[in-house]
Amino acid sequence: MSFLPKPKVAHPGLPLNALGLNRRDYEGVMSTLCAGCGHDSVTAAIVQACFELELPPHNVVKFSGIGCSSKTTAYFVAGAHGFNAVHGRMPSIASGAHAANRHLHSIGVSGDGDSLSIGLGQLAHVIRRNPRMLYLIENNGVYGLTKGQFSASADVGTRSRRGDVNEQRPLDPVLLALALGAPFVARGFSGDREQLVPLLKAGLSSGGFALIDVLSPCVTFNDHEGSTKSYAYVREHREAPVALDYIAPRRAIEASYAAGEVLPVTLHDGSRVLLRKLEPDYDPTDRTRAAAFVQERALANEYVTGLIYMEPERRDFHTRHNTADAALNALPFARLCPGAGKLAEILREFR
Amino acid sequence: MQPTDPRDPDYYHRVVDCQWACPAHTDVPEYIRLIALGRYGDAYLVNRATNVFPGILGRVCDRPCEPACRRGRVEASPVAICRLKRVAADLREDITARLPRAAERRNGKRVACVGAGPASLTVANDLLPLGYEVVIFEQHAWPGGLMRSNIPAFRLPAAVLDEEIGYITGMGADLRLGTPVRSLAALLDSGGFAAVFIGSGAPRGKELALPGRDASERIHIGIAWLESVAFGHVTAIGERVLIIGVGNTAMDCCRTALRLGARSVQVMARKPRGFFKASAWELEDAEEEHVAIVVNHAPKAFVVHDGRLQGMTFERLEYELDGERITAQRVIEEVFVPCDDVILAIGQENAFPWIERDLGIEFDAHELPRLDPVTFESTRRGVFFGGDAACGPRNIIEAVAQGHAAALSIDLHCRGEPLNARPPHAVTLQSRKIGLHEWSYRNAWDGRERRLVPHISLRERFRRLDVEVELGFDAARAAEEVRRCLNCDIQTVFEAPRCIECDACLDICPTDCLTITADGAPPAVQARLRAPRLHPAQPLFVSAPLRQTGRIMVKDEDLCVHCGLCAERCPTGAWDMRKSWVHIPQAGDEARCQGPAQRRRA
Ligand SMILES: Cc1cc2nc3c(=O)[nH]c(=O)nc-3n(C[C@H](O)[C@H](O)[C@H](O)COP(=O)(O)OP(=O)(O)OC[C@H]3O[C@@H](n4cnc5c(N)ncnc54)[C@H](O)[C@@H]3O)c2cc1C
Ligand SMILES: Cc1ncc(C[n+]2csc(CCOP(=O)(O)OP(=O)(O)O)c2C)c(N)n1
Ligand code: SF4
Ligand code: SF4
Ligand code: SF4
Ligand SMILES: [Mg+2]
């Protein structure tokens, strides 16, 4: 936490995007998290991704629950809409908002506590619903805000700062999302922005529910020896089977690749991702094998990071329900509420 | 990349742009903070320690610090450093008891100084406290050199000169006014001087040898004319005056002419705007007084009929420019400009008619003495030069800086030490952290623009020759201006082994100075900086490899606003904000600080 606001002055050479905004225009208020928190890095990556995607701030809506991670929606895209829900209930609020306006870019930020303990049921159902939203779990293995109790993602054998050892088996949000049918599943690390920013951009452009589990160390309660979620541990224990490059719509692919080396996938909004296999036998479109790979590597104490699974063709919430294209607030009242006569007519059909 | 070695005393010094640019290396941000605290006397003494004449320089310094000031890169204009110096002088309490004093016991050595300009006065200032007897020979009846004879009183009041020169002569300098040195050989032969310092300036104004030059008395040489005005020998001038040249002397000539009764004053410039030698602020001040600056006119001849000056003919020129370079010029026509007086202000030259050429003192083709650039010793042992006499016409602050360097040499010389046994330049650092989120300096960004110095009204200023035009900042305005200083001397000091690469500092930095990236060749690393490198002359800090990934922390010093947020957000204290003290040795330091000379002797 700092008492001094970040000065308004900016580097005069900062590039502008097509909207005439620079990266700093996508910042929010000053973070009150502990200095060095991984969550602040994730915030900076979101700022970068929104700037690069040239999102008009007023077309963004941010959702969160409770926790240090959930506080961070205040720290990016100050000009966006937002809702800070009660603990674990963000998915319902986000689903409702998305039902009302499918054109907004939804960004949900949650924590391992918020999503895997109190909000586990909510998370499972929002995955099944498949609204178009980017859902981040800033995963630090602890309840940071309430001073560092183990969360449901803490690994067996992890030692708390006070020396207690966790013996319960962890929940891995990536495996959960794969099992529940999420169409876009990835894992990032707050300390690797080069990997994270393209994942965020791809997730925001994917057309469905994109879950990214971001390992995001808690410097205060979980960055010591004996933690499997510290900066040093994560840096030592991660591998990526696929590298993802994000190509904006109408942008030419500049690098040249040998045939068969990359798998180009066109996303919902016309942008593309190029998937380069780093692990020859890995197939990011095969859900069961992806899950098996993640589990195998977990047994070897390795985090699988990067894009893990992708299914561009899944029908999202609005397609499935054949809803109106316009946002509800843009529909004339007469269409939104056809009146008592129409209601009576509908009810007659059921008699 | 090669990691930066911050133990190099120049590294942190360079970050303090103003202090680096100042020839005397005055600790600008330190005195600005003292002004902010209302400690004007302390601010004055910080200045005086290096620049000797804060009240004088606060009015007329050439201020190389201001174009260098980082604030001018971060937003439009630099901090009004020079005018804040004047604030320290104007608002100071009585500090006389805290000034250096002559040593109680003389050391038996006598040093002669030729000329009582700022260079010689600085030598005296430095040597008197060490016990030297300093004899200053000055041809004029007043001390001060060009500061008194040429800088007009409407820019620099006599009282300010008297007071600050008095601090030095008051220490017991043996000031012999009205005593020109006519022969250096005689001075050297007179014996009794352990060393001689020559601070006699660049006294000769350049001539303009054109037809008609000698046909009229109404053609004046600028610096001689200003001297005559200063000493009261000239009190009037014709109605229409032409000034030839557009340097700083020209600016003083045109404004002085207005005060002596000229109605129309035109400064005739050979080149277009942008190629003038005068400082921007001097041009502004002249134009405020309705002086006309006429560009692209090359003087051709003086037109004199019957011994009366009628005017001058000029060639009107047209230039072709390529950016800031002139690629071609063409004469378009010849024009006649009528006038009553012409003042030539096209430069100064050195002249040492009183220095015999068989004394072992060598001169170059421009009549400049051959000197050691560090010690300022001439090719004859024990004879030193400084100020305009050493390098041709420059400015006061350079004369002061060279005076300090020469005084140190003289002290070494008189103590029988080699002149290169000077203590090294050094930087010491001291943390400014005083609490979890507290720093002992004000680090909040203040976006306000540069405050303007009020001027006395046009009506008032011409009443007398010596009405000071600039009024200086009052305490309230100064209090606003000081907040614009970025505290560049509060350095960001990095300890690589502590960094856990959390990126917090990178993300908080408002001006994107910081980057963590893979090591590599300099061009590759520079291409990966988070923000483009706008001023490649500004230093890059490159850390040793970081512990967790072997990457490096790179800081582009260019636009750092020294807000301290990197240090505040760093969880491990890898960044700290530390005040840098730059030590440039002065006379006496070599004895005080157990320098190499001392150690060798022990
Ligand atoms: C018109 C004008 C305006 C200027 N304005 C500024 C300004 O605004 N700011 C700035 O920083 N600089 C200014 N300068 C330059 C500045 O005044 C000089 O660079 C500075 O004074 C040089 O100092 P000095 O000690 O080397 O020599 P000087 O100031 O020239 O002093 C030399 C002294 O030596 C004396 N002397 C010379 N020969 C002998 C001898 N044989 N025996 C005895 N005495 C002798 C002279 O009478 C003189 O008093 C200006 C110069 C001019 C001409
Ligand atoms: C209904 C309810 N139960 C419990 C809490 C207390 N509580 C606040 S934050 C939190 C856990 C946050 O953990 P996580 O989501 O991992 O966030 P982090 O702080 O680690 O980023 C808990 C249990 C609460 N605020 N509301
Ligand atoms: S901002 Fe202050 S310290 Fe920095 S260069 Fe300018 S005056 Fe000097
Ligand atoms: S002090 Fe630190 S955070 Fe502030 S501008 Fe400089 S490098 Fe950036
Ligand atoms: S905040 Fe400190 S630990 Fe984090 S990257 Fe910067 S210097 Fe390293
Ligand atoms: Mg947590």
Side-chain angles (χ1 to χ4, degrees):
Chain A
M1 147 122 214
S2 294
F3 297 152
L4 190 70
K6 180 166 174 172
K8 283 273 174 279
V9 57
H11 191 289
L14 279 192
L16 301 180
N17 65 17
L19 304 177
L21 302 176
N22 69 27
R23 172 165 40 75
R24 299 247 354 237
D25 294 320
Y26 287 86
E27 291 179 346
V29 299
M30 182 86 170
S31 167
T32 57
L33 302 184
C34 303
C37 177
H39 301 349
D40 281 335
S41 283
V42 183
T43 298
I46 297 172
V47 166
Q48 178 86 26
C50 292
F51 160 72
E52 289 177 6
L53 288 175
E54 302 174 341
L55 301 183
H58 61 275
N59 281 355
V60 174
V61 55
K62 311 175 286 187
F63 304 101
S64 62
I66 299 292
C68 298
S69 34
S70 294
K71 286 173 69 175
T72 64
T73 45
Y75 311 148
F76 60 85
V77 200
H81 309 276
F83 198 106
N84 188 208
V86 288
H87 205 14
R89 270 59 178 178
M90 175 265 274
S92 303
I93 306 288
S95 300
H98 180 67
N101 187 347
R102 60 159 78 182
H103 299 292
L104 297 179
H105 296 273
S106 300
I107 303 177
V109 180
S110 178
D112 42 330
D114 193 60
S115 279
L116 303 182
S117 294
I118 193 170
L120 186 60
Q122 295 252 328
L123 173 63
H125 289 286
V126 76
I127 295 175
R128 291 183 56 244
R129 245 173 256 137
N130 195 24
R132 182 169 74 90
M133 93 177 276
L134 172 66
Y135 192 104
L136 300 182
I137 298 178
E138 296 181 351
N139 189 346
N140 53 16
V142 288
Y143 297 169
L145 192 69
T146 52
K147 298 201 179 263
Q149 301 84 352
F150 286 127
S151 78
S153 73
D155 288 305
V156 173
T158 298
R159 211 170 272 281
S160 76
R161 209 174 69 168
R162 283 174 42 207
D164 309 330
V165 176
N166 174 50
E167 289 173 2
Q168 291 193 75
R169 295 192 54 79
L171 257 169
D172 180 346
V174 161
L175 290 174
L176 190 73
L178 287 171
L180 293 169
F184 182 108
V185 183
R187 176 142 47 214
F189 168 42
S190 69
D192 186 349
R193 201 164 301 168
E194 275 163 39
Q195 181 190 52
L196 183 55
V197 171
L199 286 176
L200 295 174
K201 286 158 75 177
L204 272 165
S205 312
S206 74
F209 187 82
L211 182 132
I212 308 182
D213 175 42
V214 189
L215 297 164
S216 174
C218 170
V219 264
T220 304
F221 298 110
N222 207 9
D223 193 38
H224 45 267
E225 285 276 312
S227 158
T228 58
K229 302 236 170 5
S230 66
Y231 282 105
Y233 185 92
V234 175
R235 283 203 166 99
E236 289 283 297
H237 297 86
R238 64 195 185 110
E239 62 180 63
V242 178
L244 177 148
D245 298 322
Y246 175 88
I247 315 283
R250 296 178 299 281
R251 196 62 61 75
I253 296 175
E254 276 158 20
S256 55
Y257 300 96
E261 197 188 331
V262 293
L263 174 64
V265 181
T266 302
L267 303 177
H268 162 82
D269 64 358
S271 60
R272 281 163 296 173
V273 290
L274 301 181
L275 305 180
R276 280 179 291 130
K277 281 190 196 176
L278 305 175
E279 188 73 43
D281 295 334
Y282 193 82
D283 180 358
T285 61
D286 183 332
R287 187 183 291 277
T288 36
R289 282 177 54 199
F293 184 79
V294 171
Q295 276 173 306
E296 254 167 49
R297 300 313 300 147
L299 287 176
N301 295 325
E302 287 289 315
Y303 289 113
V304 175
T305 63
L307 180 78
I308 291 171
Y309 175 73
M310 189 164 183
E311 177 197 345
E313 300 307 322
R314 261 288 294 288
R315 293 204 305 164
D316 81 313
F317 173 88
H318 283 283
T319 325
R320 220 170 48 236
H321 294 290
N322 192 24
T323 52
D325 182 59
L328 299 190
N329 66 356
L331 289 176
F333 184 73
R335 278 195 64 201
L336 206 52
C337 179
K342 188 74 184 171
L343 178 64
E345 200 182 297
I346 292 170
L347 288 178
R348 251 196 319 278
E349 287 175 25
F350 293 102
R351 291 226 166 86
Chain B
M1 282 179 82
Q2 184 66 31
T4 304
D5 180 6
R7 285 168 312 176
D8 170 355
D10 284 352
Y11 185 77
Y12 288 123
H13 187 181
R14 261 177 84 188
V15 172
V16 196
D17 291 291
C18 47
Q19 191 178 15
W20 180 255
C22 173
H25 304 303
T26 300
D27 191 346
V28 172
E30 180 70 13
Y31 81 69
I32 291 184
R33 275 191 302 275
L34 289 169
I35 292 174
L37 294 171
R39 290 167 57 185
Y40 305 114
D42 292 336
Y44 183 86
L45 292 170
V46 165
N47 266 287
R48 196 182 182 284
T50 46
N51 63 37
V52 186
F53 304 106
I56 294 171
L57 289 166
R59 290 171 166 81
V60 302
C61 187
D62 247 3
R63 26 178 158 151
C65 53
E66 291 195 15
C69 172
R70 162 167 291 134
R71 183 86 189 198
R73 299 196 297 275
V74 173
E75 51 123 348
S77 42
V79 175
I81 300 173
C82 185
R83 293 318 181 247
L84 288 172
K85 198 186 304 300
R86 172 171 172 182
V87 166
D90 285 357
L91 304 185
R92 73 185 189 273
E93 63 281 4
D94 181 7
I95 43 84
T96 40
R98 300 165 67 192
L99 291 170
R101 248 172 278 202
E104 282 181 9
R105 282 185 40 216
R106 290 264 165 96
N107 66 7
K109 304 252 166 63
R110 292 174 83 220
V111 173
C113 292
V114 182
S120 290
L121 290 168
T122 301
V123 170
N125 177 69
D126 288 7
L127 294 182
L128 288 165
L130 301 181
Y132 289 90
E133 185 185 339
V134 181
V135 184
I136 306 176
F137 299 96
E138 168 57 53
Q139 64 189 13
H140 289 312
W142 291 274
L146 291 179
M147 301 193 296
R148 179 161 337 244
S149 63
N150 265 245
I151 300 182
F154 60 82
R155 289 206 291 130
L156 179 56
V160 177
L161 273 168
D162 291 342
E163 183 167 35
E164 290 191 332
I165 293 174
Y167 290 159
I168 298 167
T169 52
M171 274 194 275
D174 181 357
L175 179 60
R176 307 205 184 154
L177 296 171
T179 314
V181 174
R182 296 221 160 81
S183 157
L184 181 59
L187 184 72
L188 293 169
D189 288 346
S190 71
F193 290 114
V196 174
F197 175 79
I198 297 172
S200 56
R204 189 184 285 160
K206 281 199 184 146
E207 260 302 347
L208 187 60
L210 291 179
R213 167 65 183 93
D214 299 323
S216 168
E217 309 256 281
R218 307 287 293 261
I219 303 167
H220 319 277
I221 301 242
I223 66 165
W225 181 76
L226 284 171
E227 184 180 303
S228 306
V229 175
F231 296 143
H233 307 317
V234 167
T235 51
I237 197 161
E239 287 209 345
R240 298 162 305 169
V241 178
L242 296 186
I243 316 283
I244 309 299
V246 63
N248 291 340
T249 303
M251 295 301 103
D252 283 337
C253 289
C254 65
R255 297 178 69 192
T256 301
L258 284 175
R259 284 159 176 77
L260 293 190
R263 303 248 154 199
S264 141
V265 178
Q266 302 185 70
V267 174
M268 310 302 289
R270 178 187 292 271
K271 290 189 179 164
R273 258 172 212 274
F275 293 87
F276 299 168
K277 285 212 181 111
S279 327
W281 56 87
E282 295 213 65
L283 279 164
E284 254 169 49
D285 290 346
E287 293 192 288
E288 180 183 302
E289 297 180 358
H290 305 303
V291 167
I293 314 269
V294 182
V295 299
N296 301 355
H297 278 63
K300 186 139 190 262
F302 300 95
V303 181
V304 185
H305 288 318
D306 307 329
R308 262 202 66 193
L309 181 68
Q310 306 291 319
M312 280 185 80
T313 50
F314 293 86
E315 284 179 342
R316 204 155 73 75
L317 302 173
E318 191 175 68
Y319 292 94
E320 273 170 42
L321 298 181
D322 174 17
E324 293 180 358
R325 228 164 35 89
I326 292 179
T327 50
Q329 66 178 62
R330 208 177 28 241
V331 178
I332 310 178
E333 59 176 338
E334 198 176 300
V335 292
F336 171 75
V337 183
C339 69
D340 304 312
D341 286 88
V342 174
I343 302 177
L344 303 176
I346 52 177
Q348 277 162 262
E349 287 168 331
N350 285 53
F352 300 99
W354 52 279
I355 299 185
E356 293 80 357
R357 297 303 145 119
D358 58 358
L359 298 176
I361 300 175
E362 290 173 20
F363 290 86
D364 69 10
H366 305 284
E367 275 290 279
L368 289 174
R370 285 192 203 286
L371 303 174
D372 179 303
V374 175
T375 65
F376 289 92
E377 192 177 36
S378 68
T379 48
R380 180 178 166 124
R381 285 202 58 199
V383 176
F384 301 84
F385 285 73
D388 288 358
C391 336
R394 295 282 177 87
N395 55 41
I396 300 167
I397 191 67
E398 288 192 41
V400 168
Q402 295 172 5
H404 284 309
L408 171 56
S409 303
I410 291 170
D411 188 33
L412 287 162
H413 171 80
C414 293
R415 284 148 27 88
E417 307 240 3
L419 298 194
N420 59 13
R422 316 166 97 77
H425 289 201
V427 168
T428 47
L429 296 167
Q430 197 180 43
S431 180
R432 281 294 174 257
K433 194 173 177 74
I434 50 171
L436 210 49
H437 305 290
E438 277 170 302
W439 305 90
S440 61
Y441 74 104
R442 191 180 171 285
N443 56 348
W445 164 256
D446 195 320
R448 77 186 70 207
E449 290 171 6
R450 182 176 167 119
R451 306 288 95 185
L452 297 178
V453 181
H455 285 186
I456 198 160
S457 74
L458 279 177
R459 196 137 41 83
E460 287 298 315
R461 73 175 71 162
F462 295 114
R463 286 186 198 244
R464 275 191 342 267
L465 194 51
D466 60 354
V467 175
E468 189 173 15
V469 171
E470 283 196 10
L471 299 174
F473 286 136
D474 57 16
R477 256 186 227 232
E480 292 182 315
E481 184 64 22
V482 287
R483 292 176 159 226
R484 299 182 66 245
C485 175
L486 299 170
N487 303 290
C488 302
D489 62 333
I490 312 290
Q491 307 277 352
T492 56
V493 177
F494 185 67
E495 283 178 44
R498 287 172 173 257
C499 175
I500 58 169
E501 301 171 56
C502 70
D503 292 352
C505 54
L506 276 56
D507 294 332
I508 202 68
C509 177
T511 45
D512 288 292
C513 308
L514 307 176
T515 302
I516 297 183
T517 186
D519 201 351
V525 169
Q526 288 176 36
R528 291 196 295 267
L529 295 182
R530 276 163 62 93
R533 198 169 177 206
L534 298 181
H535 302 100
Q538 288 287 317
L540 275 192
F541 169 86
V542 177
S543 79
L546 302 177
R547 245 184 23 214
Q548 293 196 7
T549 64
R551 294 179 299 168
I552 50 175
M553 174 75 77
V554 185
K555 180 184 178 207
D556 184 354
E557 298 283 5
D558 184 15
L559 296 175
C560 171
V561 296
H562 296 258
C563 61
L565 282 173
C566 49
E568 195 156 314
R569 297 299 292 173
C570 179
T572 62
W575 287 111
D576 190 19
M577 303 306 293
R578 299 190 191 153
K579 157 75 186 163
S580 60
W581 304 93
V582 175
H583 308 281
I584 308 286
Q586 290 185 359
D589 286 348
E590 76 281 18
R592 274 195 287 275
C593 81
Q594 285 283 320
Q598 194 96 5
R599 259 181 268 121
R600 213 180 14 255
R601 222 182 304 132

